[in-house]
Amino acid sequence: MNAKHRMYSLPYNGTNPEWFLQEVEKRKKHVDHVYCELPFDEGKMISHVRFAFEAKNGLDPDLVQPEFKRAQYVRNCVEFLRLSKGKIRRICPVNAMYYKFDSGEELKNFAISVCQLANRFQLEGLIISDYRVAVLVHAILPELEIHTSCNGYQWNVRQMEIWREKCGVTVFNPPREILRAPSKLKEMHDAGYKLKCLINEGCLMGCPNAMCHNLSVSLQFNPCMLSCCQCGVGDIFRGNWILPRWQKHFDEYVDIYKIAGRNSEADYPFRTMDAFVTL
């Protein structure tokens, strides 16, 4: 990738939808897509971002405030998806691994509901971490663009081959720690796969099954968000992120740089992207 033409995946973080869209359009030439929470219904979220609204100890007896904040976030997501249609590409995450499917029928119903939402919001694509869901979604909506989630943990070319063949995956987001193994990125890229990589993720390993997993930008909400076992400030410097000036070492292999921050403060995604674009 030419350094002047780097492309980014930008997070919608629940702030004012009109303002956010205006800021995206200012940077449109560097934005491949915006990823936004997929709203199931008012107040409900299907990813780890929902934990960011809890109290610091996670045991807030007053559930009204967190529920209100979650509901407002979801309403803003709905409005953003409405306003942005036809203006930017929207790729919504589906972190189905947070749900236990007690039967094949329950799994199918979940996949159908996801496809219905994709149609309702006329999405360009979905980010899917669960292989079973990806297979079903691709069967129902073969024209829909599917990206893997870093939580799907594709670490070798054979895995990626299966996901592309069975799920129609067009963009792969390898695990967060892939930045520590550029030789693996080269192997994947040389095999013809389009790659998207997180570049500002604060978690040490980013375990998607840990309730305390979240982004380093959530440190203001909960001091143990960095990981389930390491919560010192020094651990930030051992996280899976790169400095803007390091991008030149990854440009040859990475097609899209992903900015983390779905639960960050209003202008954080733009300040972060601007730093990576300009430095």
Side-chain angles (χ1 to χ4, degrees):
M1 187 196 314
N2 187 303
K4 294 182 180 179
H5 300 100
R6 288 173 180 146
M7 299 301 290
Y8 295 83
S9 169
L10 201 63
Y12 174 65
N13 61 353
T15 191
N16 181 286
E18 292 184 2
W19 173 83
F20 191 93
L21 185 57
Q22 289 173 2
E23 292 299 311
V24 170
E25 291 183 325
K26 293 177 185 177
R27 301 162 173 83
K28 195 171 182 179
K29 70 176 183 178
H30 288 293
V31 177
D32 181 84
H33 63 269
V34 171
Y35 63 102
C36 171
E37 289 297 311
L38 186 62
F40 261 40
D41 50 58
E42 188 172 298
K44 291 187 179 179
M45 306 172 73
I46 60 170
S47 80
H48 55 266
V49 175
R50 66 186 184 275
F51 297 131
F53 300 100
E54 304 293 349
K56 287 188 175 181
N57 59 8
L59 300 173
D60 189 356
D62 179 12
L63 296 178
V64 175
Q65 191 66 14
E67 291 297 333
F68 172 78
K69 289 180 179 178
R70 267 192 288 267
Q72 184 60 54
Y73 188 107
V74 173
R75 283 196 293 269
N76 283 347
C77 287
V78 171
E79 182 64 7
F80 174 75
L81 291 175
R82 185 187 70 81
L83 292 172
S84 59
K85 184 177 66 175
K87 298 179 180 178
I88 55 170
R89 284 163 30 83
R90 292 87 37 81
I91 313 288
C92 288
V94 179
N95 293 322
M97 62 172 59
Y98 286 95
Y99 294 87
K100 178 183 177 182
F101 300 117
D102 293 320
S103 66
E105 193 67 24
E106 188 175 327
L107 169 62
K108 285 190 289 185
N109 288 339
F110 180 84
I112 291 170
S113 65
V114 167
C115 291
Q116 289 172 333
L117 287 167
N119 277 334
R120 173 188 170 189
F121 294 112
Q122 297 181 25
L123 302 178
E124 284 71 30
L126 296 171
I127 302 168
I128 302 181
S129 56
D130 189 294
Y131 175 78
R132 302 166 299 169
V133 173
V135 169
L136 291 172
V137 167
H138 182 57
I140 299 169
L141 293 176
E143 71 281 4
L144 191 69
E145 189 174 326
I146 293 181
H147 297 199
T148 64
S149 166
C150 56
N151 296 338
Y153 220 83
Q154 290 84 34
W155 189 254
N156 62 64
V157 170
R158 178 56 183 149
Q159 286 175 296
M160 299 167 82
E161 181 183 340
I162 294 171
W163 276 74
R164 183 161 66 180
E165 178 186 349
K166 303 295 184 182
C167 313
V169 171
T170 55
V171 176
F172 287 87
N173 188 171
R176 294 165 177 84
E177 56 269 32
I178 195 73
L179 294 177
R180 299 174 179 176
S183 60
K184 291 296 295 184
L185 283 174
K186 183 180 187 305
E187 178 188 353
M188 295 170 177
H189 193 271
D190 288 350
Y193 295 106
K194 188 173 183 178
L195 301 179
K196 174 170 58 176
C197 288
L198 271 165
I199 53 175
N200 68 319
E201 173 65 84
C203 285
L204 297 180
M205 295 302 290
C207 172
N209 297 311
M211 184 171 180
C212 288
H213 164 68
N214 224 299
L215 314 173
S216 59
V217 293
S218 294
L219 199 59
Q220 58 188 312
F221 297 109
N222 192 324
C224 66
M225 284 292 190
L226 284 176
S227 77
C228 56
C229 61
Q230 302 284 341
C231 61
V233 173
D235 291 322
I236 294 175
F237 299 100
R238 296 195 289 130
N240 296 297
W241 52 270
I242 61 173
L243 292 173
R245 65 176 180 267
W246 295 351
Q247 284 177 107
K248 62 186 178 184
H249 301 297
F250 296 90
D251 284 340
E252 184 179 351
Y253 317 122
V254 178
D255 299 284
I256 304 169
Y257 291 107
K258 181 178 179 180
I259 303 295
R262 274 177 286 167
N263 56 334
S264 61
E265 60 190 29
D267 64 345
Y268 173 85
F270 303 111
R271 285 189 287 112
T272 303
M273 179 180 164
D274 289 347
F276 278 97
V277 168
T278 59
L279 296 181

